[in-house]
Amino acid sequence: MNTQLILVLLLLLVAVVLFVRNQPRMDVVALLMIVALPLTGILSVQETIAGFSDPSVVVIAALFVIGEGLVRTGIAYQLGERLMHRAGSSETRLIILLMLTVAGLGSVMSSTGVVAIFIPVVLSIAARLNISPSRLMMPLSFAGLISGMLTLVATPPNMIVHSELVRAGLTGFSFFAFAPIGLTILVLGIVYILATRHWLAS
């Protein structure tokens, strides 16, 4: 291994350790790594900041802003409350509506943010229905993961692959190119959760 490769691996190891410790914050760690790369001579300053002009990076950043706006205005939380009201006391209906709503929101905003929004709502509903929170938490996490398969902007890897295809002169993905597979997996996921929820969580 050459010196630059060793330095990159060391920086990666440091970043992983700091991420695990969560000190300092993740965004600070990311900025520190961006500064460290040109300082160590691995990349030039131009190469380091070139990614910020990539359309995928701009779109991903914009989606995070939109998601935060939905949280701060209370729209997402109100949607969750309305969802739980429609479900009533039926656990089956609640799981179906919960997974559909989380997957739908996660397809256009950060799935992590969506799950964070719904955690307190799900906990309160579990307490009201007198059931174990894990019986609703698992469908919540499943739907959050599956949401990344529904649209082009649902998760950063989709955007990155699309961007690289376009850069190579190939045809990129359409907005709903992932939807047929994602919707199929979502339906199968709902069926699986409903069929096995008594064994998956108690």
Side-chain angles (χ1 to χ4, degrees):
M1 291 191 295
N2 59 38
T3 306
Q4 286 193 334
L5 180 55
I6 293 174
L7 283 173
V8 170
L9 292 176
L10 285 175
L11 288 174
L12 179 61
L13 178 61
V14 170
V16 170
V17 171
L18 292 176
F19 283 142
V20 171
R21 292 184 58 199
N22 200 28
Q23 289 181 348
R25 290 181 347 216
M26 287 189 290
D27 53 342
V28 175
V29 174
L31 290 174
L32 287 174
M33 293 302 109
I34 290 175
V35 173
L37 287 171
L39 288 179
T40 54
I42 297 172
L43 295 176
S44 66
V45 176
Q46 290 76 15
E47 289 172 330
T48 303
I49 63 176
F52 290 105
S53 63
D54 192 296
S56 300
V57 175
V58 177
V59 171
I60 292 168
L63 289 174
F64 276 106
V65 173
I66 293 171
E68 184 65 19
L70 289 173
V71 175
R72 297 208 174 194
T73 56
I75 294 175
Y77 190 80
Q78 289 175 13
L79 180 60
E81 287 290 342
R82 185 171 298 179
L83 162 72
M84 303 311 171
H85 179 71
R86 284 180 175 271
S89 59
S90 171
E91 183 182 345
T92 299
R93 193 185 311 138
L94 176 61
I95 289 174
I96 294 172
L97 290 175
L98 175 65
M99 292 187 71
L100 289 175
T101 303
V102 170
L105 282 174
S107 68
V108 293
M109 60 182 283
S110 168
S111 58
T112 304
V114 174
V115 171
I117 291 167
F118 276 87
I119 284 175
V121 178
V122 167
L123 289 175
S124 65
I125 294 301
R128 191 183 73 190
L129 296 179
N130 195 29
I131 61 176
S132 172
S134 58
R135 292 171 70 94
L136 299 179
M137 285 297 188
M138 189 168 288
L140 174 62
S141 62
F142 268 47
L145 291 170
I146 295 171
S147 68
M149 306 178 192
L150 295 176
T151 65
L152 177 62
V153 299
T155 185
N158 294 355
M159 293 292 299
I160 293 171
V161 172
H162 168 76
S163 179
E164 290 303 314
L165 285 173
V166 173
R167 185 174 293 135
L170 302 173
T171 303
F173 299 116
S174 65
F175 189 83
F176 291 108
F178 301 91
I181 296 174
L183 289 172
T184 302
I185 294 176
L186 177 59
V187 172
L188 292 175
I190 292 173
V191 172
Y192 175 75
I193 287 291
L194 292 176
T196 62
R197 67 183 186 272
H198 297 291
W199 293 277
L200 291 174
S202 59

